[in-house]
Amino acid sequence: MTYREAFPIVYTSDLPLALAFYRDALGMTETFRFPPEGVATFVSLTLADNSGLALAGQGSTPPHHGLPMRPGARTFELCVYTDDVDDAVAQLRTAGHAVLYEPANQPWGERMAYVADPDGNPVMICARI
């Protein structure tokens, strides 16, 4: 057996707001929407390199497919590579997204920052130095 593709599913309380962040602010492209007409409850998104994620909003059935969630546990963090961390963070800040950790060089050879998505999930913005 060969595994060939994986992507995170982000559960959100406000799918239109999450779409505005991931699609519009981070530049992802919508590749699938359910239902296809009307108000979406599930949307798949990709970047140019074909990495991506899916967003599941309230009304997705069943939420988390019935899996238990630990109260208070962080359930998601996304890492997005970019060419210029400082510029990306400046653009996200200007668009009103909270910066959780300012850009800084890391000892493992990357420049990294964190912003919050609309649900408060941490999104790492990074680039190789």
Side-chain angles (χ1 to χ4, degrees):
M1 173 179 11
T2 301
Y3 295 98
R4 59 190 159 142
E5 186 177 347
F7 63 92
I9 299 173
V10 179
Y11 289 86
T12 177
S13 60
D14 189 332
L15 185 56
L17 191 60
L19 268 173
F21 178 77
Y22 288 100
R23 183 189 57 211
D24 304 335
L26 295 184
M28 292 185 167
T29 301
E30 191 173 307
T31 57
F32 176 80
R33 172 181 285 255
F34 182 82
E37 302 296 326
V39 177
T41 59
F42 185 91
V43 177
S44 293
L45 301 162
T46 62
L47 284 170
D49 71 350
N50 291 323
S51 63
L53 57 84
L55 300 170
Q58 291 181 336
S60 57
T61 306
H64 297 284
H65 300 280
L67 297 174
M69 298 299 292
R70 289 183 319 185
R74 179 186 295 165
T75 58
F76 171 77
E77 177 179 316
L78 179 68
C79 174
V80 179
Y81 279 91
T82 185
D83 295 331
D84 187 329
V85 173
D86 295 83
D87 186 47
V89 169
Q91 288 180 23
L92 291 166
R93 184 189 323 268
T94 299
H97 301 290
V99 177
L100 304 175
Y101 181 86
E102 294 293 337
N105 291 344
Q106 303 301 316
W108 53 84
E110 292 179 330
R111 186 155 180 81
M112 182 184 91
Y114 276 97
V115 298
D117 78 0
D119 289 294
N121 295 307
V123 177
M124 181 194 310
I125 308 296
C126 59
R128 291 175 181 87
I129 298 173

